[in-house]
Amino acid sequence: MTKTIILACVGGLTTSMLVERINEVIHRDQLNYSFYSVGIAGINNLKNIDVLLLSPQLAYLEEKAKASLSVPVAVISDENFELMKGEAVLKQAEDLMG
């Protein structure tokens, strides 16, 4: 069964390159994940996801998201986000899913 990982950022645009890097790892390693990004407005409409990662700019929403969603939620580190470390971000999501 495919696991769905969502990356949320302010507008959904700043994460596109990071999502691309992560999808390259998913494809390379033939992992059964669906990974995409949403803007801040899309967080309230999330359904059937397995983990939510927040960009550093949305760290202030972490507790609210944890309270309203029944999935693991975490903030991506500044370093992994700024350096577009797709493999590290994917590992963070995997660790959250167990």
Side-chain angles (χ1 to χ4, degrees):
M1 193 166 130
T2 302
K3 298 272 190 187
T4 302
I5 303 165
I6 302 296
L7 175 53
C9 69
V10 177
L13 300 174
T14 53
T15 53
S16 62
M17 194 160 70
L18 182 54
V19 169
E20 200 175 292
R21 297 245 170 107
I22 292 164
N23 279 322
E24 287 169 6
V25 175
I26 290 170
H27 183 74
R28 180 194 74 203
D29 296 345
Q30 298 180 344
L31 301 170
N32 203 10
Y33 297 138
S34 175
F35 197 103
Y36 57 97
S37 65
V38 298
I40 190 171
I43 293 175
N44 297 326
N45 304 320
L46 295 175
K47 292 183 177 30
N48 303 321
I49 68 168
D50 295 287
V51 68
L52 172 65
L53 296 176
L54 301 172
S55 68
Q57 304 94 311
L58 295 183
Y60 70 95
L61 288 176
E62 183 178 15
E63 294 310 314
K64 182 181 175 194
K66 282 180 178 176
S68 65
L69 297 170
S70 58
V71 299
V73 177
V75 178
I76 298 168
S77 74
D78 288 334
E79 180 187 357
N80 287 344
F81 191 80
E82 289 166 17
L83 298 178
M84 299 287 156
K85 292 185 173 182
E87 214 152 342
V89 173
L90 184 58
K91 169 126 180 47
Q92 181 181 11
E94 288 176 323
D95 289 346
L96 286 165
M97 290 187 288

